[in-house]
Amino acid sequence: MQGELSLEALDAVCFVLESSDGFAWDGDTDDGERVSRALFWLGTPEVNYPLSNRVLRKVRHYLVTGDNQLTSEDLTA
């Protein structure tokens, strides 16, 4: 679909954003900390939450509200 990334592309984009020196956010602020955490979760699904629509919805909710709804059940999503 136009305007959407595949889960594999999202994984790659998050990993690049997190590991690149070309992008910066202040991890000492609430907003920056949320960006850092979300990128880590999404960019390393092999050690964090597997990429699924359920996990993506929860990460999006976390980015917008700061409310982390991810649970241990999401580790096997």
PDB file of all heavy atoms in Angstrom, residues 47-72:
ATOM      1  N   VAL A  47      15.921  -9.089  19.849  1.00  0.00           N
ATOM      2  CA  VAL A  47      16.161  -9.104  21.292  1.00  0.00           C
ATOM      3  C   VAL A  47      15.062  -8.381  22.065  1.00  0.00           C
ATOM      4  O   VAL A  47      15.086  -8.358  23.294  1.00  0.00           O
ATOM      5  CB  VAL A  47      17.538  -8.498  21.657  1.00  0.00           C
ATOM      6  CG1 VAL A  47      18.670  -9.314  21.068  1.00  0.00           C
ATOM      7  CG2 VAL A  47      17.634  -7.046  21.229  1.00  0.00           C
ATOM      8  N   ASN A  48      14.140  -7.785  21.382  1.00  0.00           N
ATOM      9  CA  ASN A  48      13.033  -7.071  22.022  1.00  0.00           C
ATOM     10  C   ASN A  48      11.712  -7.643  21.525  1.00  0.00           C
ATOM     11  O   ASN A  48      11.560  -8.833  21.409  1.00  0.00           O
ATOM     12  CB  ASN A  48      13.135  -5.572  21.735  1.00  0.00           C
ATOM     13  CG  ASN A  48      14.192  -4.918  22.584  1.00  0.00           C
ATOM     14  OD1 ASN A  48      14.103  -4.923  23.795  1.00  0.00           O
ATOM     15  ND2 ASN A  48      15.210  -4.369  21.951  1.00  0.00           N
ATOM     16  N   TYR A  49      10.807  -6.771  21.221  1.00  0.00           N
ATOM     17  CA  TYR A  49       9.478  -7.183  20.773  1.00  0.00           C
ATOM     18  C   TYR A  49       9.489  -7.463  19.277  1.00  0.00           C
ATOM     19  O   TYR A  49       9.935  -6.628  18.498  1.00  0.00           O
ATOM     20  CB  TYR A  49       8.460  -6.088  21.081  1.00  0.00           C
ATOM     21  CG  TYR A  49       8.416  -5.755  22.552  1.00  0.00           C
ATOM     22  CD1 TYR A  49       9.143  -4.697  23.072  1.00  0.00           C
ATOM     23  CD2 TYR A  49       7.660  -6.537  23.423  1.00  0.00           C
ATOM     24  CE1 TYR A  49       9.111  -4.411  24.421  1.00  0.00           C
ATOM     25  CE2 TYR A  49       7.626  -6.258  24.774  1.00  0.00           C
ATOM     26  CZ  TYR A  49       8.354  -5.195  25.268  1.00  0.00           C
ATOM     27  OH  TYR A  49       8.321  -4.926  26.610  1.00  0.00           O
ATOM     28  N   PRO A  50       8.988  -8.617  18.850  1.00  0.00           N
ATOM     29  CA  PRO A  50       8.905  -8.877  17.422  1.00  0.00           C
ATOM     30  C   PRO A  50       7.963  -7.874  16.766  1.00  0.00           C
ATOM     31  O   PRO A  50       7.004  -7.411  17.392  1.00  0.00           O
ATOM     32  CB  PRO A  50       8.359 -10.300  17.322  1.00  0.00           C
ATOM     33  CG  PRO A  50       7.818 -10.625  18.663  1.00  0.00           C
ATOM     34  CD  PRO A  50       8.433  -9.694  19.652  1.00  0.00           C
ATOM     35  N   LEU A  51       8.273  -7.498  15.549  1.00  0.00           N
ATOM     36  CA  LEU A  51       7.442  -6.529  14.847  1.00  0.00           C
ATOM     37  C   LEU A  51       6.118  -7.172  14.453  1.00  0.00           C
ATOM     38  O   LEU A  51       6.094  -8.159  13.727  1.00  0.00           O
ATOM     39  CB  LEU A  51       8.178  -5.994  13.621  1.00  0.00           C
ATOM     40  CG  LEU A  51       9.444  -5.205  13.919  1.00  0.00           C
ATOM     41  CD1 LEU A  51      10.089  -4.737  12.623  1.00  0.00           C
ATOM     42  CD2 LEU A  51       9.160  -4.017  14.817  1.00  0.00           C
ATOM     43  N   SER A  52       5.059  -6.622  14.976  1.00  0.00           N
ATOM     44  CA  SER A  52       3.711  -7.069  14.647  1.00  0.00           C
ATOM     45  C   SER A  52       2.813  -5.837  14.701  1.00  0.00           C
ATOM     46  O   SER A  52       3.191  -4.800  15.256  1.00  0.00           O
ATOM     47  CB  SER A  52       3.217  -8.115  15.648  1.00  0.00           C
ATOM     48  OG  SER A  52       3.003  -7.511  16.919  1.00  0.00           O
ATOM     49  N   ASN A  53       1.641  -5.948  14.134  1.00  0.00           N
ATOM     50  CA  ASN A  53       0.714  -4.816  14.170  1.00  0.00           C
ATOM     51  C   ASN A  53       0.347  -4.439  15.600  1.00  0.00           C
ATOM     52  O   ASN A  53       0.237  -3.261  15.928  1.00  0.00           O
ATOM     53  CB  ASN A  53      -0.538  -5.115  13.345  1.00  0.00           C
ATOM     54  CG  ASN A  53      -0.232  -5.121  11.866  1.00  0.00           C
ATOM     55  OD1 ASN A  53       0.637  -4.402  11.397  1.00  0.00           O
ATOM     56  ND2 ASN A  53      -0.942  -5.942  11.125  1.00  0.00           N
ATOM     57  N   ARG A  54       0.198  -5.430  16.465  1.00  0.00           N
ATOM     58  CA  ARG A  54      -0.128  -5.157  17.872  1.00  0.00           C
ATOM     59  C   ARG A  54       0.995  -4.377  18.548  1.00  0.00           C
ATOM     60  O   ARG A  54       0.750  -3.382  19.233  1.00  0.00           O
ATOM     61  CB  ARG A  54      -0.390  -6.470  18.607  1.00  0.00           C
ATOM     62  CG  ARG A  54      -0.771  -6.254  20.075  1.00  0.00           C
ATOM     63  CD  ARG A  54      -1.115  -7.548  20.757  1.00  0.00           C
ATOM     64  NE  ARG A  54       0.089  -8.315  21.009  1.00  0.00           N
ATOM     65  CZ  ARG A  54       0.096  -9.609  21.293  1.00  0.00           C
ATOM     66  NH1 ARG A  54      -1.032 -10.293  21.318  1.00  0.00           N
ATOM     67  NH2 ARG A  54       1.220 -10.231  21.538  1.00  0.00           N
ATOM     68  N   VAL A  55       2.231  -4.809  18.358  1.00  0.00           N
ATOM     69  CA  VAL A  55       3.371  -4.114  18.951  1.00  0.00           C
ATOM     70  C   VAL A  55       3.494  -2.704  18.373  1.00  0.00           C
ATOM     71  O   VAL A  55       3.725  -1.738  19.109  1.00  0.00           O
ATOM     72  CB  VAL A  55       4.677  -4.918  18.761  1.00  0.00           C
ATOM     73  CG1 VAL A  55       5.897  -4.086  19.092  1.00  0.00           C
ATOM     74  CG2 VAL A  55       4.632  -6.186  19.605  1.00  0.00           C
ATOM     75  N   LEU A  56       3.317  -2.563  17.073  1.00  0.00           N
ATOM     76  CA  LEU A  56       3.400  -1.231  16.463  1.00  0.00           C
ATOM     77  C   LEU A  56       2.351  -0.288  17.034  1.00  0.00           C
ATOM     78  O   LEU A  56       2.647   0.889  17.297  1.00  0.00           O
ATOM     79  CB  LEU A  56       3.249  -1.329  14.951  1.00  0.00           C
ATOM     80  CG  LEU A  56       4.395  -2.011  14.215  1.00  0.00           C
ATOM     81  CD1 LEU A  56       4.084  -2.078  12.725  1.00  0.00           C
ATOM     82  CD2 LEU A  56       5.707  -1.317  14.467  1.00  0.00           C
ATOM     83  N   ARG A  57       1.131  -0.769  17.242  1.00  0.00           N
ATOM     84  CA  ARG A  57       0.086   0.078  17.844  1.00  0.00           C
ATOM     85  C   ARG A  57       0.494   0.534  19.241  1.00  0.00           C
ATOM     86  O   ARG A  57       0.307   1.684  19.615  1.00  0.00           O
ATOM     87  CB  ARG A  57      -1.243  -0.673  17.913  1.00  0.00           C
ATOM     88  CG  ARG A  57      -2.021  -0.683  16.618  1.00  0.00           C
ATOM     89  CD  ARG A  57      -3.442  -1.183  16.814  1.00  0.00           C
ATOM     90  NE  ARG A  57      -3.509  -2.518  17.402  1.00  0.00           N
ATOM     91  CZ  ARG A  57      -3.431  -3.646  16.706  1.00  0.00           C
ATOM     92  NH1 ARG A  57      -3.288  -3.610  15.399  1.00  0.00           N
ATOM     93  NH2 ARG A  57      -3.505  -4.819  17.302  1.00  0.00           N
ATOM     94  N   LYS A  58       1.057  -0.384  20.017  1.00  0.00           N
ATOM     95  CA  LYS A  58       1.459  -0.048  21.382  1.00  0.00           C
ATOM     96  C   LYS A  58       2.652   0.917  21.401  1.00  0.00           C
ATOM     97  O   LYS A  58       2.715   1.809  22.243  1.00  0.00           O
ATOM     98  CB  LYS A  58       1.765  -1.310  22.176  1.00  0.00           C
ATOM     99  CG  LYS A  58       0.501  -2.102  22.485  1.00  0.00           C
ATOM    100  CD  LYS A  58       0.806  -3.320  23.326  1.00  0.00           C
ATOM    101  CE  LYS A  58      -0.468  -4.062  23.699  1.00  0.00           C
ATOM    102  NZ  LYS A  58      -0.198  -5.155  24.646  1.00  0.00           N
ATOM    103  N   VAL A  59       3.587   0.739  20.499  1.00  0.00           N
ATOM    104  CA  VAL A  59       4.732   1.653  20.428  1.00  0.00           C
ATOM    105  C   VAL A  59       4.257   3.035  19.988  1.00  0.00           C
ATOM    106  O   VAL A  59       4.688   4.050  20.542  1.00  0.00           O
ATOM    107  CB  VAL A  59       5.835   1.104  19.494  1.00  0.00           C
ATOM    108  CG1 VAL A  59       6.908   2.148  19.249  1.00  0.00           C
ATOM    109  CG2 VAL A  59       6.449  -0.159  20.081  1.00  0.00           C
ATOM    110  N   ARG A  60       3.361   3.090  19.034  1.00  0.00           N
ATOM    111  CA  ARG A  60       2.801   4.377  18.595  1.00  0.00           C
ATOM    112  C   ARG A  60       2.096   5.066  19.765  1.00  0.00           C
ATOM    113  O   ARG A  60       2.282   6.262  20.008  1.00  0.00           O
ATOM    114  CB  ARG A  60       1.837   4.173  17.435  1.00  0.00           C
ATOM    115  CG  ARG A  60       1.290   5.471  16.874  1.00  0.00           C
ATOM    116  CD  ARG A  60       0.337   5.254  15.702  1.00  0.00           C
ATOM    117  NE  ARG A  60       0.983   4.532  14.620  1.00  0.00           N
ATOM    118  CZ  ARG A  60       0.585   3.357  14.130  1.00  0.00           C
ATOM    119  NH1 ARG A  60      -0.482   2.759  14.621  1.00  0.00           N
ATOM    120  NH2 ARG A  60       1.229   2.773  13.154  1.00  0.00           N
ATOM    121  N   HIS A  61       1.317   4.309  20.529  1.00  0.00           N
ATOM    122  CA  HIS A  61       0.628   4.853  21.706  1.00  0.00           C
ATOM    123  C   HIS A  61       1.651   5.398  22.709  1.00  0.00           C
ATOM    124  O   HIS A  61       1.473   6.485  23.258  1.00  0.00           O
ATOM    125  CB  HIS A  61      -0.242   3.764  22.351  1.00  0.00           C
ATOM    126  CG  HIS A  61      -0.908   4.192  23.603  1.00  0.00           C
ATOM    127  ND1 HIS A  61      -2.049   4.949  23.614  1.00  0.00           N
ATOM    128  CD2 HIS A  61      -0.575   3.986  24.908  1.00  0.00           C
ATOM    129  CE1 HIS A  61      -2.405   5.188  24.861  1.00  0.00           C
ATOM    130  NE2 HIS A  61      -1.520   4.603  25.663  1.00  0.00           N
ATOM    131  N   TYR A  62       2.712   4.651  22.942  1.00  0.00           N
ATOM    132  CA  TYR A  62       3.777   5.088  23.856  1.00  0.00           C
ATOM    133  C   TYR A  62       4.417   6.390  23.376  1.00  0.00           C
ATOM    134  O   TYR A  62       4.634   7.310  24.172  1.00  0.00           O
ATOM    135  CB  TYR A  62       4.834   3.985  23.987  1.00  0.00           C
ATOM    136  CG  TYR A  62       6.053   4.405  24.756  1.00  0.00           C
ATOM    137  CD1 TYR A  62       5.989   4.607  26.122  1.00  0.00           C
ATOM    138  CD2 TYR A  62       7.261   4.613  24.117  1.00  0.00           C
ATOM    139  CE1 TYR A  62       7.109   5.010  26.841  1.00  0.00           C
ATOM    140  CE2 TYR A  62       8.383   5.005  24.816  1.00  0.00           C
ATOM    141  CZ  TYR A  62       8.302   5.209  26.181  1.00  0.00           C
ATOM    142  OH  TYR A  62       9.401   5.618  26.882  1.00  0.00           O
ATOM    143  N   LEU A  63       4.716   6.487  22.091  1.00  0.00           N
ATOM    144  CA  LEU A  63       5.331   7.706  21.560  1.00  0.00           C
ATOM    145  C   LEU A  63       4.436   8.926  21.760  1.00  0.00           C
ATOM    146  O   LEU A  63       4.921  10.007  22.097  1.00  0.00           O
ATOM    147  CB  LEU A  63       5.643   7.547  20.074  1.00  0.00           C
ATOM    148  CG  LEU A  63       6.896   6.752  19.743  1.00  0.00           C
ATOM    149  CD1 LEU A  63       6.923   6.409  18.259  1.00  0.00           C
ATOM    150  CD2 LEU A  63       8.144   7.506  20.148  1.00  0.00           C
ATOM    151  N   VAL A  64       3.149   8.758  21.575  1.00  0.00           N
ATOM    152  CA  VAL A  64       2.215   9.876  21.675  1.00  0.00           C
ATOM    153  C   VAL A  64       1.899  10.238  23.122  1.00  0.00           C
ATOM    154  O   VAL A  64       1.833  11.417  23.467  1.00  0.00           O
ATOM    155  CB  VAL A  64       0.907   9.550  20.900  1.00  0.00           C
ATOM    156  CG1 VAL A  64      -0.158  10.601  21.137  1.00  0.00           C
ATOM    157  CG2 VAL A  64       1.207   9.426  19.408  1.00  0.00           C
ATOM    158  N   THR A  65       1.746   9.218  23.986  1.00  0.00           N
ATOM    159  CA  THR A  65       1.247   9.479  25.340  1.00  0.00           C
ATOM    160  C   THR A  65       2.278   9.297  26.448  1.00  0.00           C
ATOM    161  O   THR A  65       2.086   9.803  27.548  1.00  0.00           O
ATOM    162  CB  THR A  65       0.073   8.545  25.656  1.00  0.00           C
ATOM    163  OG1 THR A  65       0.564   7.198  25.749  1.00  0.00           O
ATOM    164  CG2 THR A  65      -1.023   8.657  24.621  1.00  0.00           C
ATOM    165  N   GLY A  66       3.323   8.512  26.192  1.00  0.00           N
ATOM    166  CA  GLY A  66       4.273   8.173  27.242  1.00  0.00           C
ATOM    167  C   GLY A  66       3.826   6.985  28.080  1.00  0.00           C
ATOM    168  O   GLY A  66       4.522   6.560  28.993  1.00  0.00           O
ATOM    169  N   ASP A  67       2.672   6.415  27.771  1.00  0.00           N
ATOM    170  CA  ASP A  67       2.113   5.273  28.484  1.00  0.00           C
ATOM    171  C   ASP A  67       2.560   3.981  27.803  1.00  0.00           C
ATOM    172  O   ASP A  67       2.123   3.683  26.694  1.00  0.00           O
ATOM    173  CB  ASP A  67       0.584   5.380  28.492  1.00  0.00           C
ATOM    174  CG  ASP A  67      -0.095   4.194  29.137  1.00  0.00           C
ATOM    175  OD1 ASP A  67       0.472   3.620  30.090  1.00  0.00           O
ATOM    176  OD2 ASP A  67      -1.203   3.838  28.690  1.00  0.00           O
ATOM    177  N   ASN A  68       3.423   3.224  28.468  1.00  0.00           N
ATOM    178  CA  ASN A  68       3.948   1.982  27.914  1.00  0.00           C
ATOM    179  C   ASN A  68       2.980   0.845  28.206  1.00  0.00           C
ATOM    180  O   ASN A  68       2.843   0.415  29.352  1.00  0.00           O
ATOM    181  CB  ASN A  68       5.326   1.677  28.494  1.00  0.00           C
ATOM    182  CG  ASN A  68       5.932   0.424  27.926  1.00  0.00           C
ATOM    183  OD1 ASN A  68       5.333  -0.265  27.109  1.00  0.00           O
ATOM    184  ND2 ASN A  68       7.134   0.112  28.357  1.00  0.00           N
ATOM    185  N   GLN A  69       2.318   0.342  27.184  1.00  0.00           N
ATOM    186  CA  GLN A  69       1.364  -0.754  27.327  1.00  0.00           C
ATOM    187  C   GLN A  69       1.941  -2.096  26.885  1.00  0.00           C
ATOM    188  O   GLN A  69       1.224  -3.096  26.867  1.00  0.00           O
ATOM    189  CB  GLN A  69       0.094  -0.449  26.527  1.00  0.00           C
ATOM    190  CG  GLN A  69      -0.637   0.767  27.015  1.00  0.00           C
ATOM    191  CD  GLN A  69      -1.902   1.048  26.232  1.00  0.00           C
ATOM    192  OE1 GLN A  69      -2.066   0.599  25.103  1.00  0.00           O
ATOM    193  NE2 GLN A  69      -2.810   1.788  26.830  1.00  0.00           N
ATOM    194  N   LEU A  70       3.215  -2.140  26.544  1.00  0.00           N
ATOM    195  CA  LEU A  70       3.843  -3.390  26.135  1.00  0.00           C
ATOM    196  C   LEU A  70       3.944  -4.318  27.356  1.00  0.00           C
ATOM    197  O   LEU A  70       4.239  -3.873  28.471  1.00  0.00           O
ATOM    198  CB  LEU A  70       5.228  -3.138  25.558  1.00  0.00           C
ATOM    199  CG  LEU A  70       5.231  -2.435  24.206  1.00  0.00           C
ATOM    200  CD1 LEU A  70       6.610  -1.856  23.899  1.00  0.00           C
ATOM    201  CD2 LEU A  70       4.782  -3.372  23.112  1.00  0.00           C
ATOM    202  N   THR A  71       3.688  -5.598  27.124  1.00  0.00           N
ATOM    203  CA  THR A  71       3.738  -6.589  28.191  1.00  0.00           C
ATOM    204  C   THR A  71       4.611  -7.764  27.758  1.00  0.00           C
ATOM    205  O   THR A  71       5.022  -7.847  26.596  1.00  0.00           O
ATOM    206  CB  THR A  71       2.323  -7.118  28.520  1.00  0.00           C
ATOM    207  OG1 THR A  71       1.840  -7.863  27.401  1.00  0.00           O
ATOM    208  CG2 THR A  71       1.365  -5.996  28.857  1.00  0.00           C
ATOM    209  N   SER A  72       4.814  -8.688  28.669  1.00  0.00           N
ATOM    210  CA  SER A  72       5.588  -9.885  28.339  1.00  0.00           C
ATOM    211  C   SER A  72       4.893 -10.704  27.247  1.00  0.00           C
ATOM    212  O   SER A  72       5.553 -11.399  26.497  1.00  0.00           O
ATOM    213  CB  SER A  72       5.831 -10.735  29.577  1.00  0.00           C
ATOM    214  OG  SER A  72       4.609 -11.130  30.158  1.00  0.00           O
TER     215      SER A  72
END
